[in-house]
């Protein structure tokens, strides 16, 4: 059954933990990289559907800091896929701006260069921003944010220059030093592949996100599954710590 979704209440920012590629391939007697390849097709379909629905930010967990400890051949297959999938016209066709977050310095030089070029080429696209988390983990991100806040040599921190005091460190200052400072926090976080955990993804930013877990392996995740997740999100009441009555009153006075 196709889920009805309310087009006036589409989540502005969806974050995805795209999990299950390896198990999907294993079920077919294929190497894990075959699953990653199939996962790229899912990225194309879901990106196109998100732009159609009016999602403004789509953040995709593509390669975690912890994934560096996978076998070398799997890591290099993944790097190859990142490189080849950035070649395609998906960004221009869908008017999508591309951004990357993560510890990019650890990536091979050709991948780093391609990422920078794709960010530059797509900088003027404004239907949706696709953010790819590569060599990313939330603890790494928070650690580097703290380092930058206390680093008096960083010119970007001009107002905080000189002797940083405890009162300078606010939630806004921390948020603005995270990799994600250019976008709002996710409204909805979807994890495919059956695991019910966040695996070091956006720990600060998902404080009030709605979480949705499904068993479908990422290569099988389709537009209908996305609609199901959005419909589920739309049935929830986001209270941000307030009471149900308060939220209903706020909605009535809008
Ligand atoms: C997610 O799929 C993609 C990456 C982490 C790069 P997995 O490769 O983790 O697939 P499973 O979880 O082993 O099935
Ligand atoms: C999370 O998946 C990372 C990505 C999807 C890129 P993992 O497969 O690495 O997570 P764990 O190991 O099951 O927690
Ligand atoms: Mg996995």
């Amino acid at each position: 059954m196709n889920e009805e979704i309310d087009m006036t209440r589409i989540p502005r920012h969806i974050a995805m933990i795209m999990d299950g590629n390896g198990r999907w391939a294993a079920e077919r007697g294929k190497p894990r990289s075959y699953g990653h390849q199939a996962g790229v097709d899912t990225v194309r379909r879901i990106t196109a559907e998100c732009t159609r629905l009016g999602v403004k930010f789509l953040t995709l967990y593509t390669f975690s800091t912890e994934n560096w400890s996978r076998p070398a051949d799997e890591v290099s297959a993944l790097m190859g896929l990142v490189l080849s999938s950035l070649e395609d016209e998906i960004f221009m066709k869908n008017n999508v701006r591309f951004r990357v977050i993560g510890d990019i310095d650890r990536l091979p030089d050709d991948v780093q260069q391609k990422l920078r070029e794709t960010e530059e080429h797509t900088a003027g696209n404004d239907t949706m921003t696709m953010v790819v988390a590569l060599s990313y983990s939330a603890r790494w991100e928070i650690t580097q944010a703290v380092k930058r806040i206390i680093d008096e040599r960083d010119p970007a921190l001009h107002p905080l220059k000189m002797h940083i005091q405890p009162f300078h460190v606010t939630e806004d200052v921390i948020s603005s030093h995270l990799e994600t400072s250019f976008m709002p926090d996710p409204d909805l976080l979807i994890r495919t592949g059956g695991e019910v955990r966040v695996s070091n993804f956006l720990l600060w930013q998902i404080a009030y996100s709605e979480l949705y877990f499904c068993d479908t392996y990422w290569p099988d995740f389709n537009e209908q599954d996305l609609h199901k997740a959005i419909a589920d999100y739309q049935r929830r009441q986001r209270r941000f710590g307030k009471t149900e009555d308060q939220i209903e009153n706020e909605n009535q006075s809008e």
Side-chain angles (χ1 to χ4, degrees):
M1 191 195 75
N2 227 331
E3 290 268 0
E4 279 291 318
I5 53 177
D6 178 351
M7 292 296 282
T8 66
R9 292 190 305 119
I10 295 294
R12 189 166 141 78
H13 181 178
I14 299 182
M16 299 256 191
I17 302 177
M18 312 184 286
D19 197 24
N21 296 349
R23 282 164 288 161
W24 183 89
E27 277 185 1
R28 286 156 179 78
K30 303 274 192 187
R32 297 177 57 82
S33 54
Y34 181 76
H36 297 316
Q37 173 73 62
V40 174
D41 293 334
T42 307
V43 170
R44 288 203 189 93
R45 291 177 63 172
I46 295 302
T47 302
E49 184 60 5
C50 284
T51 57
R52 197 187 70 79
L53 293 172
V55 173
K56 297 311 287 179
F57 297 90
L58 174 65
T59 302
L60 302 172
Y61 203 9
T62 304
F63 188 81
S64 72
T65 303
E66 289 74 19
N67 290 150
W68 283 114
S69 52
R70 290 196 178 190
D73 60 340
E74 182 171 348
V75 172
S76 74
L78 281 163
M79 293 302 146
L81 274 178
V82 169
L83 210 50
S84 61
S85 57
L86 289 173
E87 297 285 352
D88 71 27
E89 68 310 331
I90 183 155
F91 304 109
M92 290 314 182
K93 203 171 72 191
N94 294 292
N95 193 30
V96 168
R97 173 172 71 138
F98 172 83
R99 293 292 299 260
V100 61
I101 58 171
D103 192 1
I104 298 314
D105 293 346
R106 290 184 72 179
L107 299 168
D109 287 345
D110 53 347
V111 176
Q112 290 189 38
Q113 175 155 358
K114 190 77 203 169
L115 291 166
R116 273 194 294 269
E117 280 170 19
T118 310
E119 284 190 330
E120 284 165 20
H121 291 163
T122 63
N125 294 351
D126 60 2
T127 298
M128 183 180 80
T129 301
M130 181 217 271
V131 182
V132 167
L134 268 178
S135 188
Y136 171 90
S137 77
R139 287 184 177 181
W140 165 81
E141 178 190 37
I142 292 168
T143 306
Q144 66 83 34
V146 173
K147 286 182 188 170
R148 287 174 47 212
I149 290 169
I150 63 172
D151 186 351
E152 298 173 3
R153 289 162 305 172
D154 187 342
L157 296 182
H158 190 69
L160 300 182
K161 257 181 158 179
M162 314 306 287
H163 305 287
I164 182 154
Q165 299 293 324
F167 72 85
H168 287 129
V169 183
T170 62
E171 292 192 5
D172 283 346
V173 166
I174 293 175
S175 292
S176 67
H177 288 85
L178 296 175
E179 297 277 289
T180 52
S181 59
F182 59 92
M183 61 179 166
D185 289 342
D187 301 295
L188 171 63
L189 169 70
I190 300 174
R191 182 175 186 142
T192 65
E195 309 296 353
V196 187
R197 54 178 172 249
V198 291
S199 302
N200 218 347
F201 190 41
L202 303 177
L203 298 181
W204 173 277
Q205 299 87 338
I206 61 171
Y208 264 106
S209 304
E210 296 298 326
L211 309 184
Y212 181 89
F213 298 91
C214 69
D215 289 335
T216 312
Y217 294 143
W218 178 251
D220 285 334
F221 190 80
N222 62 22
E223 292 84 346
Q224 224 166 303
D225 297 313
L226 176 67
H227 294 185
K228 221 165 130 185
I230 294 175
D232 192 282
Y233 163 87
Q234 291 180 339
R235 283 191 289 269
R236 302 182 192 183
Q237 185 187 51
R238 302 183 77 184
R239 289 194 285 278
F240 302 98
K242 298 181 183 173
T243 68
E244 203 176 328
D245 288 349
Q246 284 175 299
I247 298 295
E248 272 158 22
N249 289 338
E250 282 175 15
N251 289 344
Q252 271 158 24
S253 60
E254 260 170 23

